[in-house]
Amino acid sequence: MGIDRRSFLKIVGLSALGVSSGAWEVLQPGEVDAAHGHAAAEHVEKAATRWAMVVDMRRCKDEKGCTKCIDACRLVHNIPVIDNPKREVKWIWKEEYEHAFPDSHNEYMPDELKETPFILMCNHCDHPPCVRVCPTKATFKRPDGIVAMDYHRCIGCRFCMAACPYGSRNLNWINPRPYIKEINNEFPTRMKGVVEKCNFCVERLAKGLQPACVEACHCGALLFGNLHDPESNVRRVLRSNVSIRRKPELGTHPCVFYLV
Amino acid sequence: MYDTGKIIVGLAIFVGLVTSPIWLNKGKAAPKPSPKLDTPAIQQLEKKECVESRQFMRSTHMQLLNEWRDRALRKGERRYINKKGEKIYISLQNTCMKCHSNKKEFCDTCHNYTDIKPYCWDCHFIPEGRKTWASTEGHS
């Protein structure tokens, strides 16, 4: 065959270049991620609704020992009360500032802030790490921003618990039913081996109701509304007050805001 | 011939063992299931109709439940429009089981007959109007 060494090498070199430049584009992590992130941001922007919560700690701190929001959530969602902290299941709970905001803590801040337990719940992040790692898509992001759970698909692998930087997720280590104090017959329980967390009350939103914790809070410390509506209650409050979010440096973009 | 007696006894035992399921279950043949519809909620209905036709429900209720589950949780739509165009609120506990509140005489009669055990009730409530589990149910 009439092909010499020189032209053979030319062809090999050219095709290697062709293949690798194609591969280059695919493998370049920055490019692909950026495109992906861009698409996601656009998606979020297009949705008419983006649910968010504002927790006004200035109001909450005056109600020492109040557990109305926590009790309401427990009752509505049949959440077990398990004393062992390694087995407990919680959707909305209290935590000291120091633990809730570990990076913005300093010893000279007002005692009041140091002593007030903060109300914590799932942050329903714009970039939820739990959704990224879930191998069965049991946890997923709804167009309205809620990070939802499809309990039927959960295999209890706990990747999401490892991924969540806020401790918002709990596994049912034991059958939760014997630990449910008061039963709501309208909402299912969960079972051993399933992970659960706050769902922003999707089942109540579907009926046009506010989340149960918001409804139960009598001092107006919890505000729930649409971030994508510039005139919504949450937008108005966020416009006229300084708010903080938990661990914003992680880039998860939490949608629970705190006024202090 | 040697050992005719032993062989005949052995054969008899063998035949007995092999056919034992027939003898043991004699007279216990599961009767054809007859799911009962006489619940208070159904008695109050003007038209005794399910969310879809009886034939459809009988053959396809498992698929319908899967569709309801995915619609409610994954698509966030809790309204189902049936073939007649009626709007129905999607819920296993609060729709199906409000009418079919007699799970034992209804769902279970068929499911026992076909020997299937849907695991739904590990989480979804069986309508019994239970107030607490703390003492009534241990670990399952």
Side-chain angles (χ1 to χ4, degrees):
Chain A
M1 276 217 213
I3 182 164
D4 59 356
R5 205 181 93 93
R6 208 176 137 78
S7 44
F8 172 76
L9 282 180
K10 268 188 201 158
I11 294 168
V12 168
L14 275 177
S15 38
L17 203 70
V19 168
S20 63
S21 66
W24 184 242
E25 253 168 61
V26 176
L27 288 176
Q28 240 183 347
E31 293 267 306
V32 174
D33 262 1
H36 181 76
H38 186 61
E42 244 173 21
H43 180 65
V44 169
E45 236 150 33
K46 258 187 242 150
T49 310
R50 202 310 172 198
W51 295 116
M53 184 82 78
V54 177
V55 185
D56 190 342
M57 289 310 301
R58 298 167 310 187
R59 288 171 186 248
C60 185
K61 70 168 194 285
D62 293 334
E63 303 292 324
K64 291 215 166 52
C66 173
T67 55
K68 285 206 165 70
C69 52
I70 299 173
D71 297 340
C73 179
R74 266 192 190 140
L75 174 62
V76 165
H77 298 120
N78 290 316
I79 297 167
V81 182
I82 300 170
D83 284 337
N84 181 348
K86 285 191 178 159
R87 304 258 157 118
E88 72 178 351
V89 175
K90 53 198 184 358
W91 288 26
I92 174 169
W93 72 102
K94 288 186 184 182
E95 188 74 81
E96 282 161 31
Y97 181 87
E98 184 179 355
H99 297 135
F101 299 87
D103 325 276
S104 40
H105 171 73
N106 73 61
E107 57 199 290
Y108 307 110
M109 57 203 305
D111 287 341
E112 203 175 59
L113 210 57
K114 280 191 256 172
E115 282 156 18
T116 313
F118 273 62
I119 299 291
L120 307 188
M121 67 193 90
C122 169
N123 279 296
H124 296 276
C125 308
D126 274 350
H127 305 293
C130 54
V131 169
R132 277 195 152 205
V133 299
C134 178
T136 62
K137 289 202 161 55
T139 192
F140 58 98
K141 192 150 186 64
R142 305 192 343 156
D144 61 6
I146 294 180
V147 175
M149 276 285 297
D150 183 346
Y151 306 90
H152 308 91
R153 286 203 196 180
C154 179
I155 54 170
C157 72
R158 299 189 282 139
F159 285 8
C160 56
M161 289 166 62
C164 175
Y166 305 105
S168 300
R169 294 175 160 271
N170 297 110
L171 178 76
N172 283 282
W173 291 92
I174 43 181
N175 175 16
R177 287 193 167 181
Y179 300 92
I180 300 171
K181 292 268 149 41
E182 220 180 317
I183 287 168
N184 168 17
N185 278 307
E186 310 271 296
F187 197 82
T189 63
R190 272 68 59 203
M191 65 193 272
K192 183 178 169 178
V194 172
V195 170
E196 62 181 79
K197 68 165 194 80
C198 158
N199 65 351
F200 262 4
C201 285
V202 283
E203 81 285 1
R204 291 171 57 90
L205 295 178
K207 291 182 179 165
L209 297 168
Q210 288 272 301
C213 53
V214 177
E215 199 179 273
C217 179
H218 63 136
C219 60
L222 294 174
L223 262 188
F224 185 79
N226 181 2
L227 268 191
H228 284 182
D229 171 7
E231 293 313 315
S232 69
N233 53 353
V234 287
R235 282 290 290 276
R236 264 183 278 128
V237 168
L238 292 176
R239 220 176 2 244
S240 50
N241 294 275
V242 177
S243 54
I244 55 172
R245 290 185 287 179
R246 294 181 67 199
K247 306 186 185 174
E249 70 280 6
L250 297 178
T252 54
H253 218 275
C255 278
V256 177
F257 300 79
Y258 293 86
L259 310 182
V260 292
Chain B
M1 276 284 237
Y2 308 106
D3 294 333
T4 317
K6 279 186 194 158
I7 288 172
I8 287 177
V9 169
L11 269 179
I13 292 174
F14 174 73
V15 169
L17 276 178
V18 166
T19 55
S20 65
I22 298 173
W23 307 116
L24 288 175
N25 285 321
K26 202 178 167 215
K28 278 196 258 169
K32 205 166 159 265
S34 53
K36 289 210 171 54
L37 290 166
D38 55 348
T39 66
I42 290 179
Q43 270 160 7
Q44 276 175 13
L45 291 177
E46 264 176 41
K47 277 200 225 142
K48 309 266 181 272
E49 282 174 354
C50 197
V51 294
E52 293 284 3
S53 74
R54 182 174 198 156
Q55 208 43 54
F56 179 89
M57 290 312 289
R58 190 172 274 202
S59 62
T60 325
H61 64 277
M62 7 17 208
Q63 271 130 290
L64 182 72
L65 282 171
N66 281 355
E67 189 192 325
W68 275 24
R69 180 194 63 201
D70 291 348
R71 258 194 210 210
L73 292 188
R74 304 201 76 88
K75 296 206 191 119
E77 296 167 17
R78 293 192 186 228
R79 296 261 166 240
Y80 171 76
I81 310 225
N82 71 7
K83 297 212 171 72
K84 279 192 263 161
E86 297 158 334
K87 276 189 191 165
I88 290 156
Y89 190 77
I90 289 183
S91 178
L92 173 57
Q93 280 164 234
N94 305 323
T95 304
C96 307
M97 303 318 283
K98 283 273 146 75
C99 280
H100 300 295
S101 52
N102 55 345
K103 173 174 169 289
K104 266 212 185 77
E105 291 85 40
F106 188 73
C107 317
D108 290 357
T109 52
C110 288
H111 295 166
N112 289 344
Y113 183 74
T114 47
D115 198 21
I116 50 161
K117 295 180 183 64
Y119 74 119
C120 321
W121 317 108
D122 285 344
C123 298
H124 290 271
F125 283 93
I126 297 169
E128 276 169 22
R130 231 197 287 228
K131 283 279 170 279
T132 175
W133 259 298
S135 55
T136 47
E137 207 170 294
H139 325 275
S140 60

